[in-house]
Amino acid sequence: LRREDPRFPGRRKGPLAENAGVRLLVVMNPSSHDFEARRRWPRLEPRLARAASVTLLETEPDDARTIARVREELTRGHDRVLAIGGDGTLHLVVNAIFGAGLATLPEFAVIPFGTANNVAKSLGLPPRDLRKLTAVAVGSRLGRLDVARIKAVIDGKPEERVWVNCVGLGMDADVLVTRGNYRDLGGYLGYAAALAERSMIQRSMDLELSVDGKTFATRVYNLIVNNVPIYVGAMQMPGSHRDDGLLDVYLFDRLEYGSKVLSFAIKHADILKLGVSEALDQITENQRTFQGKVVRVRLAEPRRLQVDGEALGETSEILCDMAGHLRVTVP
Ligand SMILES: [Mg+2]
């Protein structure tokens, strides 16, 4: 039950407001959305500080160093961790939480400041309303966010990490790398340009897919393993849930995939007024979908791997399963 806050007549008091002893660790990517996160911080901090005692850590360009610093801070004891940034920031924070060796995992909260914000959208967070987002971040309504794990040999080196958003092999991972060449275009426009380039040269992959022990060989153009239902910032993947303990595997085998996602991305750049829902329906029609707890992919030839939107290098085999889950604040 929420009480009326006497300081703000008509406004409801947030549940954490009665408990200033709550320790909140904020991990912020200051550069997200062109340093908008850092500019907004002076207005954001007092609202958080009313509800909890706040420790702020800013991410650094060196991911490994960021994870190590967050991990160390977590061992000092925090009730809740708030990640402010895009899906990449969430990836770092979740890896720190799962790598800190804690007996009890802290609660998790998100204020999105990225481009796609797949995880935030999958949590149903209100877009672009900082006041509402802050209220959710210090609120008491909790949902569940599954956390997946991946093991792979990448560029000859064994890697293991946790992830919350998506893992991709093929087209989308290659687009991610190519997008680096179009940084100046920014956001979805850079994505569209990269898609256009890759669409012309992309080739399919021969692979063996195992989902919970059921194995078959196939040829695909693009493979995605999803943990949350929202993909590339707006595509709602059918049958996917953030809290069912299952991974979703999508195989795309048509060459037209690229051109359809391209029209979708261009619409997002607001250049052309194309029928988005129509494009989305066509994309999701041309796919095969599987769900399971353990997903193994063996490739005939090494291909680029993306994990939570970051290109990691080449691999010939990945193993994904569930690492656990986080209790996350939801509206
Ligand atoms: Mg799921």
Side-chain angles (χ1 to χ4, degrees), residues 74-268:
L74 282 168
T75 60
R76 299 198 181 105
H78 291 273
D79 303 295
R80 187 174 289 180
V81 182
L82 166 61
I84 303 179
D87 288 317
T89 306
L90 271 55
H91 176 81
L92 300 180
V93 173
V94 172
N95 270 281
I97 292 174
F98 274 73
L102 305 169
T104 310
L105 297 182
E107 293 167 359
F108 189 52
V110 176
I111 294 186
F113 265 104
T115 306
N117 299 319
N118 291 328
V119 176
K121 284 170 186 161
S122 299
L123 293 170
L125 294 181
R128 285 186 296 275
D129 187 329
L130 206 53
R131 191 173 293 276
K132 281 187 193 160
L133 286 166
T134 312
V136 174
V138 298
S140 60
R141 241 179 88 82
L142 294 171
R144 170 182 155 143
L145 175 64
D146 292 333
V147 177
R149 172 171 43 207
I150 180 166
K151 289 180 195 169
V153 176
I154 300 163
D155 293 336
K157 236 179 71 189
E159 274 250 20
E160 179 179 334
R161 48 172 86 193
V162 295
W163 56 278
V164 282
N165 178 7
C166 59
V167 159
L169 286 163
M171 178 68 177
D172 287 2
D174 291 336
V175 165
L176 202 67
V177 173
T178 308
R179 195 175 60 168
N181 306 334
Y182 296 100
R183 282 279 173 231
D184 294 349
L185 292 176
Y188 275 105
L189 197 53
Y191 183 66
L195 267 169
E197 182 184 321
R198 289 307 311 183
S199 297
M200 296 195 248
I201 52 177
Q202 198 69 22
R203 63 208 155 81
S204 291
M205 320 174 269
D206 290 311
L207 57 84
E208 188 188 82
L209 173 69
S210 292
V211 181
D212 289 347
K214 282 184 200 145
T215 305
F216 65 94
T218 186
R219 166 172 283 199
V220 303
Y221 186 63
N222 191 42
L223 178 145
I224 306 167
V225 187
N226 267 25
N227 181 59
V228 293
I230 304 290
Y231 190 64
V232 290
M235 287 170 68
Q236 172 86 41
M237 302 308 280
S240 175
H241 303 280
R242 62 169 160 83
D243 55 2
D244 60 359
L246 295 173
L247 296 166
D248 310 290
V249 187
Y250 302 97
L251 302 180
F252 301 88
D253 36 18
R254 301 269 180 92
L255 212 63
E256 66 213 85
Y257 170 77
S259 64
K260 276 168 186 162
V261 180
L262 177 61
S263 15
F264 171 73
I266 288 173
K267 170 68 167 72
H268 264 269

